[in-house]
Amino acid sequence: MGILHSNSQQSLTSTNTHDVSQQLDAATNCEILHTLDTDREAIEARINQLIDQQCNFSRYAERTDYYYPLIEDLATQAHLSNAGGKRLRALLALAWFDACQQATNSEPSSCTHGDECAHTRIGNSIDRDAMVSLASAIEMYQTAALVHDDIIDDADTRRGKPTAHRALARPGVSGTGLGIMFGDLLTTISMSVLADLNIAHDEPVFSQHILHRFMNMHRDVELGQILDLASEHMPLDEPQAIIANAMKVYRWKTASYTTIAPLALAGLAAGLHPQVAHAWSMRVGLPLGLAFQIADDLIDVTANPHLSGKPLGGDIREGKRTILLADTLQAVDTAQRQFIIEAYKQNHRDEATCRRIIELMHTSGAVGQSQSRITVLYQQSVGCLQRAAKELSFTTPNIDNILATCSLFIPQVHE
């Protein structure tokens, strides 16, 4: 669509990838940007509000207690860890909710999916303010997952700041242990938001669908993380097996809560039948989530660390079995392949080794192959979105807003 990227950087994908439906006029562009900015501000305010409400730990400690400073630090860290995110998940959820809520209640005339669309709606929509809270809960869960992920990766920084377990560390108290419990605490807070929405809504069965879907999102991510950890020592002599395994990890660890769950939860919140909400969240969300993760892998070897907030080559240092690595192994010559395999057999890879592997990823064409994968997946997602828009009777402004939000999932980096 050629819109919305305020900092002029080269896209990971071709310009045509974003020209999926039409070139929007300047007025429409401005309107969409205003909507996204307004939603992002509302999400930030709600997250801070929820943290203030849920992280009031005064009843757990007196000011004279030895551990009181740590209790205060937990509340401060909750704000710090939640700050600085792009809020893509919440923005996608709000855009999809608006479209589903405003769609006509009539049965789709061109439905091609049989019984799953026989009853499009199951209940009344929650109000948009409640949807902002639900979208914020997704973001808070993401923060909790990142806190745990940083501990697993032994990461020092996140979004340009010390990771939570590093920031919470103090003499005599394990930063790792505090980080684990802090991540659990943020997870509990995200669930508390859902519990409050469930109590407030007057259709318990409808609300239970949302709660169950939110809990399933937790499980999907946790199992995805386990799959990722189990893959760390996967042999490098079968690149195709690495690609197949990585796609499963990406589906469960990333797409599950980055795109699929926000779409499903938004659909349920708007009153869609669970089968309908699930079907479209998978069709639109799965390829978009996979494209997002492959793009994130590219950022690891292409982006300026000062802009991305992550050190260059982090996945290489951690020995991640990524699709980018597999494509590189297939593209390089025998000597270069052996160099990479030997490097990954080591417990640590130094700066020079990482730079050499990054160079091979570029010169072998593997980076370009990942860009092509992103394009195909993104176009697949947009095609499904266009079918959803027709069958669910989305309005044109809502379609444009969803397309604009989806385009934000394909980041732009300096090459």
Side-chain angles (χ1 to χ4, degrees):
M1 284 188 299
I3 62 171
L4 297 175
H5 299 293
S6 57
N7 47 348
S8 180
Q9 300 175 1
Q10 184 176 348
S11 175
L12 287 172
T13 57
S14 67
T15 302
N16 289 336
T17 301
H18 299 293
D19 290 331
V20 291
S21 60
Q22 59 182 341
Q23 289 292 331
L24 301 180
D25 59 41
T28 304
N29 267 336
C30 289
E31 185 176 346
I32 292 175
L33 283 170
H34 177 72
T35 298
L36 290 172
D37 287 343
T38 300
D39 283 348
R40 191 178 286 110
E41 289 172 3
I43 294 160
E44 293 292 345
R46 186 59 49 84
I47 288 173
N48 287 325
Q49 180 186 31
L50 292 170
I51 291 172
D52 288 338
Q53 292 172 349
Q54 300 284 341
C55 292
N56 182 5
F57 303 131
S58 57
R59 71 179 184 274
Y60 293 95
E62 302 287 343
R63 287 188 176 274
T64 55
D65 289 337
Y66 172 76
Y67 54 81
Y68 184 82
L70 175 59
I71 294 296
E72 281 194 319
D73 288 348
L74 286 174
T76 300
Q77 189 61 46
H79 282 289
L80 291 173
S81 293
N82 276 285
K86 301 180 183 70
R87 309 306 183 202
L88 298 181
R89 295 156 184 82
L91 290 173
L92 180 63
L94 288 176
W96 192 256
F97 171 81
D98 288 341
C100 292
Q101 186 190 47
Q102 295 176 24
T104 61
N105 290 327
S106 61
E107 186 172 320
S109 58
S110 59
C111 182
T112 58
H113 300 106
D115 292 340
E116 73 182 34
C117 289
H119 303 288
T120 306
R121 294 186 176 274
I122 193 173
N124 296 321
S125 170
I126 66 175
D127 61 47
R128 199 174 194 276
D129 186 69
M131 186 61 217
V132 172
S133 291
L134 175 55
S136 298
I138 298 171
E139 290 292 330
M140 294 186 74
Y141 174 69
Q142 189 223 0
T143 300
L146 293 179
V147 168
H148 286 157
D149 198 45
D150 288 338
I151 294 171
I152 292 169
D153 295 341
D154 196 28
D156 294 322
T157 60
R158 165 72 63 178
R159 297 170 182 163
K161 298 176 294 188
T163 51
H165 65 287
R166 295 283 189 252
L168 291 171
R170 59 204 58 226
V173 182
S174 168
T176 297
L178 287 172
I180 292 171
M181 299 313 300
F182 176 67
D184 289 349
L185 180 64
L186 293 178
T187 300
T188 302
I189 291 173
S190 73
M191 291 300 300
S192 296
V193 176
L194 268 290
D196 291 342
L197 289 177
N198 192 44
I199 293 170
H201 204 276
D202 59 1
E203 295 184 56
V205 174
F206 169 45
S207 297
Q208 285 173 17
H209 285 300
I210 298 176
L211 184 60
H212 290 163
R213 186 62 190 84
F214 198 81
M215 294 174 68
N216 286 342
M217 176 186 72
H218 285 217
R219 181 183 59 197
D220 290 348
V221 175
E222 289 150 8
L223 288 172
Q225 182 67 73
I226 290 171
L227 293 178
D228 192 26
L229 289 169
S231 305
E232 286 186 353
H233 299 289
M234 190 175 183
L236 301 185
D237 53 354
E238 294 186 31
Q240 284 300 318
I242 295 174
I243 291 172
N245 181 79
M247 290 295 273
K248 291 179 181 178
V249 172
Y250 294 175
R251 184 261 181 266
W252 295 110
K253 182 183 175 183
T254 303
S256 62
Y257 83 114
T258 299
T259 51
I260 297 172
L263 292 170
L265 288 165
L268 290 170
L272 290 186
H273 190 284
Q275 286 181 303
V276 177
H278 171 74
W280 286 117
S281 71
M282 287 297 299
R283 295 185 186 114
V284 177
L286 179 56
L288 181 62
L290 294 176
F292 172 81
Q293 182 58 60
I294 296 171
D296 193 62
D297 292 344
L298 282 188
I299 289 174
D300 188 66
V301 300
T302 60
N304 183 331
H306 296 294
L307 297 177
S308 68
K310 297 187 291 185
L312 198 65
D315 287 347
I316 298 171
R317 290 184 180 84
E318 294 162 21
K320 297 284 187 183
R321 269 49 175 175
T322 63
I323 289 175
L324 179 59
L325 171 65
D327 285 340
T328 303
L329 289 168
Q330 292 186 115
V332 296
D333 63 32
T334 302
Q336 293 167 335
R337 185 180 307 109
Q338 194 58 39
F339 167 78
I340 295 173
I341 291 173
E342 289 302 319
Y344 271 73
K345 287 181 180 179
Q346 308 305 312
N347 291 330
H348 302 284
R349 282 152 290 281
D350 60 23
E351 189 68 29
T353 300
C354 288
R355 283 199 303 269
R356 176 57 178 153
I357 294 174
I358 290 173
E359 180 185 6
L360 291 173
M361 288 175 169
H362 283 271
T363 58
S364 67
V367 167
Q369 190 165 352
S370 282
Q371 291 170 335
S372 296
R373 291 181 190 274
I374 293 166
T375 298
V376 170
L377 287 165
Y378 186 84
Q379 291 174 338
Q380 179 184 341
S381 176
V382 168
C384 289
L385 166 59
Q386 291 170 331
R387 290 195 293 277
K390 181 178 180 181
E391 296 193 5
L392 297 176
S393 302
F394 290 170
T395 65
T396 298
N398 281 325
I399 296 170
D400 291 339
N401 194 36
I402 297 170
L403 285 169
T405 305
C406 288
S407 76
L408 299 177
F409 282 79
I410 310 303
Q412 296 181 310
V413 298
H414 290 294
E415 291 282 41

